Amino acid sequence: MTVDVVIRDGMLVTPSGIVEGSLVIDEGKIVGIVRSGLPKADTVIDASGKMVLPGMIDMHVHLRDPGFPERENFESGTRAAAAGGVTTVVDMPNTVPATVTLEAFQEKKGIASRKSLVDFAFIGGAGEIPTESIIELADAGATGFKSFLIARFKELAASDYTLLRHMRTLADLGLPLLVHAENQSIVDSYMKEAEASGRTDPLAHCDYRPAIAEVEATMRCLAFARETGAHLHVCHMSTAGAVDALELAQAGGQYATGETSTNYLLFTREAMEERGPYAKVDPPLRTREDQLRLWEALNSGVIEVLASDHAPYTREEKEAGWANIFKAPSGGVVIETTLPLMLDAVNRDLISLERLVEVFSSNPAQVNGLYPRKGDLLLGSDADVVVADMDKPFKIRGEDLHTIQKITPYEGIKGTGAPYATLVRGSVVYMDGQVTGKPGNGAFQRPL
Ligand code: DOR
Ligand code: ZN
Ligand code: ZN
């Protein structure tokens, strides 16, 4: 018998540990995990000296499609995903139109089906919309919903009452509510203070967006989730106080998950001075103490998810921030660099490779209801695989990226460890520097 693909002689990162062996892939599925006796295969990938991981599930990306083609779209964004070892993207609802109606959901599904190189799933928007819309979007296959506690995207902003209402519905449906947790009134008033101060330098963004805005909003959401029994997922956690609140809730028996990104793990507020608007994100970069707490929580299990929060803007939009940081939008081009930077973190002993696979593959698959079809190297799972070369040096340069906007907050940063090959359901979408996947290869994923 001839199978489609064999990935031979690697070190496989499986739920039962790291084992030497080969993966046998046929019809898009993992059909064998073997030490010897390999079948013939149409494609053989030599993984000797390399690590073989389940593909990354990036559960927090903004591919801007439909809405802002000059910033990103499903083709360019998933080209970058493939090059960065991401085999499933979970797209956020702040597109135009926002993903708050069945029509918008189906429109995005059509676009992604035509353009995506990797598999994709969608988060529905949970702003001031009727409960019936939540149910409709859930029926259509949303893996979760997102509410903003700040008014930045008006269709997605939810009042306290609405948060409670949506959480009750989602508790019944068994889907998570994802939140952007910052206190609107605190952020608003600080913005006015910032204006009055006359400050426009990059660090002013951090000075006028305090940690307490995130801590309070996180605690409020945790209280609502406890009251309603909903699964709360706190996006892009950046501050020690919010992590403390999450840990306390978990210690009290509440099921709540937290997420952070390389933005906060690798940068502190000082990065604003050198990188200016390119490092501007919401919530903002924080202190060294916050950063140490995030690493500790990511390793101990308080924070269970790593996601990129890929949120592209154009170079022009970002450049405007040098003269006045408040003129630049928040968000960075990061989907392609998250895995290499984290493999480098593994090499620097900041996290183990097994834990990285948990937080960037298995756990996001669980949170989005895609496990065990996705998120592990298991017999019968989709053959979404990354072959990683832990010894490959890299230097990040915007011009090398596959995104539309060739800019990066990490310009010039060097490290070691990079994807060598990426497979989505057994088809090679990236190999040795070349993206080989085709638009339309990606398939819609709904919760199991
Ligand atoms: O920095 C951010 N950018 N934070 C968000 O919450 C939204 C995101 C975006 O979509 O631009
Ligand atoms: Zn957010
Ligand atoms: Zn985001």
Side-chain angles (χ1 to χ4, degrees), residues 41 54 67 105 125 138-139 143 170 177 187 210 289-290 305 312 328 342 399 445:
F105 192 97
D139 283 345
T143 59
L170 292 170
L177 184 72
V187 168
E289 289 69 44
D290 292 305
V305 172
M342 290 305 292
E399 62 192 75
Q445 303 296 316

Side-chain angles (χ1 to χ4, degrees), residues 25-36:
I25 296 168
D26 204 42
E27 293 183 355
K29 300 276 183 194
I30 297 173
V31 297
I33 300 174
V34 299
R35 293 210 58 159
S36 58

Side-chain angles (χ1 to χ4, degrees), residues 60 62 146-148 150 152-153 179-182 235-236 282-283 309:
H60 192 149
H62 304 266
K146 182 166 187 194
S147 299
F148 282 71
I150 48 168
R152 183 168 167 198
F153 304 102
V179 288
H180 179 118
E182 286 187 293
C235 292
H236 44 52
D282 291 341
D309 199 359

Side-chain angles (χ1 to χ4, degrees), residues 167-168 170-171 175 177 224-226 228-232 254-255:
M167 281 192 204
R168 286 210 175 87
L170 292 170
L175 292 173
L177 184 72
F224 293 168
R226 185 178 166 129
T228 56
H231 168 192
L232 179 74
Q254 189 173 342
Y255 176 59

Side-chain angles (χ1 to χ4, degrees), residues 99-389:
T99 319
V100 293
T101 63
L102 187 58
E103 296 67 46
F105 192 97
Q106 301 299 9
E107 182 189 354
K108 191 187 275 194
K109 189 172 160 187
I111 292 168
S113 302
R114 285 192 299 279
K115 296 190 189 173
S116 194
L117 283 75
V118 305
D119 285 354
F120 53 88
F122 303 142
I123 299 294
E128 299 298 326
I129 59 171
T131 297
E132 298 72 61
S133 301
I134 300 272
I135 294 168
E136 246 177 25
L137 290 164
D139 283 345
T143 59
F145 286 79
K146 182 166 187 194
S147 299
F148 282 71
L149 278 75
I150 48 168
R152 183 168 167 198
F153 304 102
K154 68 176 190 317
E155 289 116 318
L156 306 174
S159 70
D160 290 348
Y161 169 76
T162 299
L163 285 170
L164 278 167
R165 176 166 60 88
H166 291 333
M167 281 192 204
R168 286 210 175 87
T169 308
L170 292 170
D172 282 347
L173 293 168
L175 292 173
L177 184 72
L178 287 57
V179 288
H180 179 118
E182 286 187 293
N183 175 304
Q184 175 72 58
S185 144
I186 296 176
V187 168
D188 273 354
S189 299
Y190 267 83
M191 288 307 276
K192 292 200 183 92
E193 265 192 41
E195 231 166 88
S197 79
R199 279 191 54 192
T200 55
D201 60 294
L203 264 175
H205 174 60
C206 304
D207 288 342
Y208 288 94
R209 212 170 168 105
I212 187 63
E214 179 179 336
V215 176
E216 187 282 331
T218 303
M219 293 178 86
R220 187 168 12 125
C221 290
L222 284 165
F224 293 168
R226 185 178 166 129
E227 171 73 15
T228 56
H231 168 192
L232 179 74
H233 177 84
V234 187
C235 292
H236 44 52
M237 297 187 79
S238 72
T239 195
V243 176
D244 292 344
L246 177 63
E247 184 170 34
L248 202 65
Q250 290 168 344
Q254 189 173 342
Y255 176 59
T257 48
E259 164 202 306
T260 193
S261 74
T262 54
N263 294 336
Y264 309 108
L265 292 169
L266 300 179
F267 283 152
T268 57
R269 63 204 301 284
E270 286 73 29
M272 293 299 289
E273 292 173 84
E274 185 192 345
R275 300 173 185 276
Y278 293 99
K280 187 184 179 198
V281 285
D282 291 341
L285 301 181
R286 307 287 193 189
T287 67
R288 175 74 178 146
E289 289 69 44
D290 292 305
Q291 186 185 42
L292 289 172
R293 179 72 168 114
L294 292 174
W295 275 112
E296 189 268 321
L298 189 67
N299 282 309
S300 72
V302 174
I303 293 181
E304 287 286 21
V305 172
L306 177 90
S308 71
D309 199 359
H310 180 66
Y313 289 95
T314 66
R315 185 185 295 275
E316 291 64 40
E317 287 173 303
K318 282 296 199 181
E319 280 292 316
W322 285 115
N324 178 349
I325 193 64
F326 297 105
K327 298 279 188 235
S330 293
V333 175
V334 288
I335 194 169
E336 194 169 341
T337 46
T338 296
L339 182 60
L341 287 166
M342 290 305 292
L343 294 174
D344 180 62
V346 170
N347 279 324
R348 291 192 286 139
D349 284 333
L350 292 166
I351 187 170
S352 69
L353 189 58
E354 295 94 317
R355 182 66 184 155
L356 174 58
V357 163
E358 277 174 18
V359 298
F360 202 11
S361 185
S362 322
N363 293 346
Q366 301 259 14
V367 168
N368 288 278
L370 304 176
Y371 193 89
R373 186 170 71 218
K374 309 260 184 219
D376 252 325
L377 300 181
L378 293 170
L379 286 180
S381 291
D382 283 356
D384 298 343
V385 186
V386 173
V387 182
D389 181 348

